[in-house]
């Protein structure tokens, strides 16, 4: 949705939408309010762009996503949110309760997102893409991510330590780590994820690759 196309006169009747991709300029309040009423959604990509950049819309900067809670979106399973959030916006009460597929990017969170995201009982796929998290430490708590099968960590340049506590991610089968160049030490506790069958490491230090491969070999024997 481009700037100036929002028309509440007809959009308010589109309450049966199941799939929606929308770009709002400065997270327009009326667009966010409209999305909050679309409780039949099964898939949502919501992006907010700044109107202070190039007029034709190219190379705009991502602005704050000011969506209200999605807790009533019980049918929403696939959610992609590229953009920043006001402080404290992403918590377990904001996210759809039956979410199975979540992608975050550009949110630049300074607080470890894993303790919150790990509480999602049905989450099957998690993608943390470029600058979704800018902190240095990440911890998957014991019992977290009970149904997670696929985890992708892309372009998180500040992460230095990743801890996987016992009984975290008990169903994880695929792990992909790309361009997390400060993650030199292998994830502590990764050897306890005995379900892991496939790992892809791209643009990672050779020492990291060798250490992780050693962990996987030892855990499979």
């Amino acid at each position: 949705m481009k700037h100036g196309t929002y028309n509440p006169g007809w959009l308010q009747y589109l309450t049966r939408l199941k799939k929606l991709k929308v770009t709002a300029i400065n997270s327009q309040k009326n667009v966010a309010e409209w999305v909050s009423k679309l409780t039949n959604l099964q898939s949502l990509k919501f992006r907010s762009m700044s109107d202070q950049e190039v007029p034709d819309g190219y190379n705009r900067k991502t602005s704050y996503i000011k969506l209200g809670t999605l807790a009533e979106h019980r049918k929403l399973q696939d959610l992609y949110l590229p953009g920043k959030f006001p402080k404290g916006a992403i918590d377990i009460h904001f996210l759809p309760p039956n979410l199975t597929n979540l992608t975050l990017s550009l949110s630049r969170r300074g607080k470890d997102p894993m303790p919150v995201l790990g509480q999602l009982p049905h989450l099957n796929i998690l993608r943390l893409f470029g600058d979704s998290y800018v902190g240095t430490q990440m911890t998957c708590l014991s019992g977290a991510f009970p149904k997670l099968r696929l985890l992708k960590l892309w372009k998180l340049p500040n992460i230095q330590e990743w801890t996987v506590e016992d009984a975290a991610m008990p169903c994880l089968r695929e792990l992909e780590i790309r361009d997390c160049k400060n993650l030199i030490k292998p994830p502590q506790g990764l050897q306890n994820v005995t379900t892991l069958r496939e790992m892809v490491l791209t643009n990672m230090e050779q020492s990291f690759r060798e250490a992780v491969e050693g962990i996987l070999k030892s855990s499979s024997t």
Side-chain angles (χ1 to χ4, degrees):
M1 180 178 296
K2 296 182 180 180
H3 184 48
T5 64
Y6 179 80
N7 184 348
W10 61 272
L11 284 181
Q12 63 179 327
Y13 298 108
L14 301 179
T15 57
R16 296 184 180 181
L17 286 177
K18 294 183 178 181
K19 185 175 182 179
L20 176 65
K21 294 182 180 180
V22 58
T23 297
I25 305 302
N26 287 334
S27 196
Q28 293 165 318
K29 183 179 179 181
N30 47 9
V31 177
E33 289 177 350
W34 172 58
V35 171
S36 70
K37 298 176 183 178
L38 301 178
T39 54
N40 285 311
L41 282 177
Q42 297 176 10
S43 176
L44 171 63
K45 179 179 179 180
F46 189 100
R47 185 174 187 179
S48 180
M49 304 298 290
S50 171
D51 62 356
Q52 298 178 356
E53 302 302 315
V54 182
D56 62 8
Y58 292 99
N59 299 318
R60 293 185 186 273
K61 288 185 178 180
T62 300
S63 65
Y64 282 100
I65 293 176
K66 298 176 183 178
L67 276 176
T69 178
L70 297 173
E72 297 301 318
H73 290 61
R74 299 186 177 277
K75 298 180 182 179
L76 185 54
Q77 296 184 330
D78 186 355
L79 181 61
Y80 183 13
L81 296 174
K84 302 176 184 177
F85 288 82
K87 186 177 181 181
I90 295 187
D91 60 26
I92 198 62
H93 304 293
F94 166 79
L95 294 165
N98 297 312
L99 198 62
T100 62
N101 188 340
L102 175 62
T103 304
L104 300 175
S105 66
L106 303 172
S107 46
R108 298 190 61 81
R109 285 180 59 86
K111 186 177 181 180
D112 184 0
M114 293 308 202
V116 169
L117 302 182
Q119 298 178 54
L120 292 167
H122 306 290
L123 193 63
N124 189 254
I125 298 172
L126 174 61
R127 302 180 183 95
L128 297 181
F129 286 166
D131 288 332
S132 56
Y133 175 49
V134 296
T136 61
Q137 297 181 335
M138 191 167 67
T139 301
C140 296
L141 300 175
S142 179
F145 299 106
K147 293 188 178 181
L148 193 68
R149 179 185 59 81
L150 169 65
L151 175 61
K152 292 189 177 186
L153 306 174
W154 287 14
K155 297 183 179 181
L156 307 178
N158 296 337
I159 292 181
Q160 299 176 14
E161 296 182 18
W162 179 21
T163 301
V164 180
E165 294 187 355
D166 188 36
M169 302 187 294
C171 298
L172 188 69
R173 296 186 64 85
E174 300 176 50
L175 174 62
E176 182 174 340
I177 305 176
R178 176 182 296 185
D179 285 316
C180 298
K181 295 185 177 180
N182 277 317
L183 187 60
I184 299 175
K185 296 186 295 183
Q188 182 179 346
L190 186 63
Q191 67 274 11
N192 297 322
V193 185
T194 57
T195 56
L196 191 59
R197 295 293 179 267
E198 182 178 345
M199 175 175 285
V200 178
L201 303 176
T202 305
N203 291 336
M204 299 295 294
E205 295 290 339
Q206 183 63 28
S207 58
F208 179 87
R209 297 174 63 90
E210 292 174 353
V212 170
E213 289 171 359
I215 290 174
L216 292 178
K217 287 180 180 179
S218 63
S219 62
S220 62
T221 57

